[in-house]
Amino acid sequence: MDHITIGAMAKINGVSEQALRLYDKMKLLQPSEINHETGYRYYNIKQCAQLDMIQYMKALGMNLVQIKECLDGKDIRKFTQILDMQKRNIEKQMMELHYAKQAIERSMESYRRYESAPEENTVIMEFIPQRRIFCYDTKINCYSYGMDYYEHILRSLKKNYVLHRLPMCYFCNVGSIMRKEYFQKKELLATEVILFVEDDFQPDDGIEVIPEGMYLCTYCYGFNKEEESLKLLMDYITEHNYEVKGDCISEILIEFPTFNNYDRSAFFKLQVPVKQKKKKII
Amino acid sequence: MDHITIGAMAKINGVSEQALRLYDKMKLLQPSEINHETGYRYYNIKQCAQLDMIQYMKALGMNLVQIKECLDGKDIRKFTQILDMQKRNIEKQMMELHYAKQAIERSMESYRRYESAPEENTVIMEFIPQRRIFCYDTKINCYSYGMDYYEHILRSLKKNYVLHRLPMCYFCNVGSIMRKEYFQKKELLATEVILFVEDDFQPDDGIEVIPEGMYLCTYCYGFNKEEESLKLLMDYITEHNYEVKGDCISEILIEFPTFNNYDRSAFFKLQVPVKQKKKKII
DNA sequence: TCTTGACTTTGTAACTGCTATAAGGTTTAA
DNA sequence: TTAAACCTTATAGCAGTTACAAAGTCAAGA
């Protein structure tokens, strides 16, 4: 049978008629015969081979133009070149999906923590595993300027961030870090904003490792509560005779959609690594 | 500064102006102020928070409509629902990329083998590792009908294939399998067409495991050479006193783009597992 | 004040690989 | 003969931009 109508051809190959018409127009696969009075397209069964090839190349992620080049070029070398390119392409896409998936999981985790978080103004001890952060020093104290300035700092982080080719999906879970010395002196001074990144980022320029350990934590809602909560944490440590072991991190667990289009509102987790000063040896 | 022009807003956030105009039109992010005489849009620095949210959601793979729903809904539960959906979505996409990548690697491997293949009409011994195939019994002898019929068989395989939800990218590396009994009787009878699939397919309905082992192989170019080569292999086995250990596989390593739009042309590898009949015990 | 250049506005088309629809002509079988 | 099932072309739509064109606005210097 070498008189297959477009509908039949579509059916036996699992393609739509429109797709076949498109391939005709693009000269990817032209019917072996056209009735010039009616305009009807008729295919030959052997043309299925070409269609198989097209579908296979499509499955490899090639676009129609590339496929055309390949088939027109009549050069199998061209095909392998495109395969090579396509492979790198796919690896890149997989990387992106990988990051997106991690970001989603991180978001879900944050949401769960938000739902089961303790009350505000309570301090609790938590074990926190090792994490990695991307650190950006703004040289300006986050606590000495208002929210407007903070926005500008974030914009600058965003730029720096793109510069380091980090995937955009990490742009939740922002935070700031108050170095140990200032925290101990109860001085509200933090010049660095941070982003939590996955373990596949190697510690290098900008990437820092935060060690695992016991942390004293407190949770609060809203930017205006942050300073108050920090002071709470500082006082708690003095009162209960803890020793500060490292930097204090102010982590945004969830940032809420800004409903009114203006005010940022977020759920914070403040955390500082400690150990008991006068521990009894059992 | 609450009088940021669209260009400035675009720059500090790494977005295009057109994107901002689109967000305005879609009511995703509308400028805080519009000069009704000039039509100029002016943004407030605090609106960056909303833009961050949009960019973050986009990075998670959400589309603009979903983002709008999320932000409009003012419901964080909606967000987690979409996250959940998005996660499954990403996993599916990763699966597809995984298959596409495997298919590309398989193609590249085939191409390398094609380039370094031995001459036609020579028989060589090869060790071949375990493989999995998807098997489809056409109930019709591939060798008793012409190419037109073969095309129909392939169409039917394609359908069956889609039915089993195998990714389309395996539709290269087609082949046929001649069962041991017929091969031994030198009877050209094969009713099953096959596809090689990855190891992640569990042996079940349609999926069969081909054991590793030593295979006698011969390579040939073109469908018309296949029968001849099969006979060569059969005779070689008799002459050299080998014992057939399993089914004979006729594998298409590369199918060439059908340049003339008609004739299928391919590079075959015929292979049959054997052992020496009268092996000396050393 | 005029000019220049950098900005802004709106609107349209293009991109990809189709799908969907409409309005109308053809084939086939009862 | 007539209806069903097919075919044709042409158009719009999708999503998220990008890339124009044509025209209006702003700020600074001569």
Side-chain angles (χ1 to χ4, degrees), chain A residues 35-94:
Chain A
N35 180 329
H36 289 291
E37 286 176 25
T38 66
Y40 274 32
R41 295 168 178 85
Y42 297 104
Y43 293 85
N44 186 300
I45 184 73
K46 286 180 175 164
Q47 297 190 285
C48 290
Q50 178 97 345
L51 191 47
D52 285 347
M53 205 68 200
I54 292 168
Q55 285 184 277
Y56 170 61
M57 286 171 168
K58 260 171 60 67
L60 295 185
M62 291 165 63
N63 66 29
L64 298 189
V65 173
Q66 288 173 320
I67 293 174
K68 184 156 170 51
E69 268 178 35
C70 233
L71 296 179
D72 280 2
K74 303 189 183 351
D75 183 6
I76 199 150
R77 234 158 295 250
K78 181 101 196 170
F79 181 58
T80 57
Q81 270 173 29
I82 292 184
L83 275 191
D84 222 57
M85 204 189 69
Q86 206 51 39
K87 194 183 162 191
R88 278 193 297 275
N89 205 330
I90 283 177
E91 276 161 2
K92 205 182 121 210
Q93 283 180 56
M94 282 176 106

Side-chain angles (χ1 to χ4, degrees), chain B residues 83-143:
Chain B
L83 275 190
D84 221 58
M85 205 188 69
Q86 207 51 39
K87 193 183 164 192
R88 278 194 297 275
N89 206 329
I90 282 177
E91 276 160 3
K92 207 181 117 209
Q93 284 180 56
M94 283 176 106
M95 224 36 205
E96 277 163 22
L97 282 182
H98 170 73
Y99 287 131
K101 195 184 160 200
Q102 280 184 334
I104 284 178
E105 278 163 0
R106 178 182 288 276
S107 273
M108 288 170 133
E109 166 73 18
S110 289
Y111 181 68
R112 278 194 297 274
R113 259 194 293 177
Y114 162 67
E115 288 214 305
S116 63
E119 273 190 45
E120 268 187 300
N121 299 323
T122 58
V123 175
I124 55 164
M125 185 71 98
E126 275 184 43
F127 173 80
I128 303 182
Q130 181 187 288
R131 292 164 295 174
R132 275 157 213 245
I133 56 172
F134 171 73
C135 231
Y136 169 59
D137 194 351
T138 66
K139 311 280 187 198
I140 281 156
N141 186 5
C142 303
Y143 297 108

Side-chain angles (χ1 to χ4, degrees), chain A residues 11 14 39 63 65 117 177-178 180 183 190 213 255 268 282:
Chain A
K11 206 175 240 170
N63 66 29
V65 173
I177 189 165
M178 181 180 288
K180 186 182 166 189
F183 186 85
E255 183 158 345
F268 285 85
I282 304 161

Side-chain angles (χ1 to χ4, degrees), chain B residues 99-249:
Chain B
Y99 287 131
K101 195 184 160 200
Q102 280 184 334
I104 284 178
E105 278 163 0
R106 178 182 288 276
S107 273
M108 288 170 133
E109 166 73 18
S110 289
Y111 181 68
R112 278 194 297 274
R113 259 194 293 177
Y114 162 67
E115 288 214 305
S116 63
E119 273 190 45
E120 268 187 300
N121 299 323
T122 58
V123 175
I124 55 164
M125 185 71 98
E126 275 184 43
F127 173 80
I128 303 182
Q130 181 187 288
R131 292 164 295 174
R132 275 157 213 245
I133 56 172
F134 171 73
C135 231
Y136 169 59
D137 194 351
T138 66
K139 311 280 187 198
I140 281 156
N141 186 5
C142 303
Y143 297 108
S144 56
Y145 295 88
M147 279 301 287
D148 280 16
Y149 213 89
Y150 177 70
E151 291 296 348
H152 280 292
I153 289 173
L154 278 187
R155 289 328 100 194
S156 149
L157 167 67
K158 220 178 189 177
K159 280 246 171 63
N160 222 272
Y161 186 71
V162 172
L163 219 83
H164 280 74
R165 288 204 234 96
L166 292 165
M168 196 57 214
C169 54
Y170 287 127
F171 206 72
C172 62
N173 276 128
V174 192
S176 61
I177 188 164
M178 181 180 288
R179 296 300 177 181
K180 186 182 167 188
E181 51 196 297
Y182 301 109
F183 187 85
Q184 282 177 316
K185 284 191 276 178
K186 297 195 181 187
E187 194 178 335
L188 284 176
L189 177 57
T191 63
E192 291 153 276
V193 280
I194 61 171
L195 290 174
F196 292 88
V197 296
E198 304 303 326
D199 290 344
D200 29 6
F201 288 92
Q202 288 315 305
D204 69 341
D205 175 47
I207 304 287
E208 206 173 296
V209 176
I210 303 294
E212 64 167 29
M214 296 308 297
Y215 285 71
L216 276 177
C217 305
T218 185
Y219 294 79
C220 70
Y221 303 78
F223 283 84
N224 51 342
K225 302 274 181 59
E226 195 188 352
E227 290 189 26
E228 189 187 314
S229 292
L230 265 172
K231 282 172 190 155
L232 173 74
L233 210 50
M234 288 165 171
D235 293 343
Y236 188 94
I237 283 168
T238 317
E239 275 168 35
H240 293 78
N241 211 25
Y242 283 104
E243 186 186 341
V244 177
K245 293 289 294 173
D247 308 323
C248 175
I249 288 175

Side-chain angles (χ1 to χ4, degrees), chain B residues 256-270:
Chain B
F256 303 105
T258 58
F259 300 143
N260 52 18
N261 218 328
Y262 287 106
D263 286 335
R264 250 177 214 284
S265 70
F267 177 57
F268 284 86
K269 177 181 185 178
L270 308 177

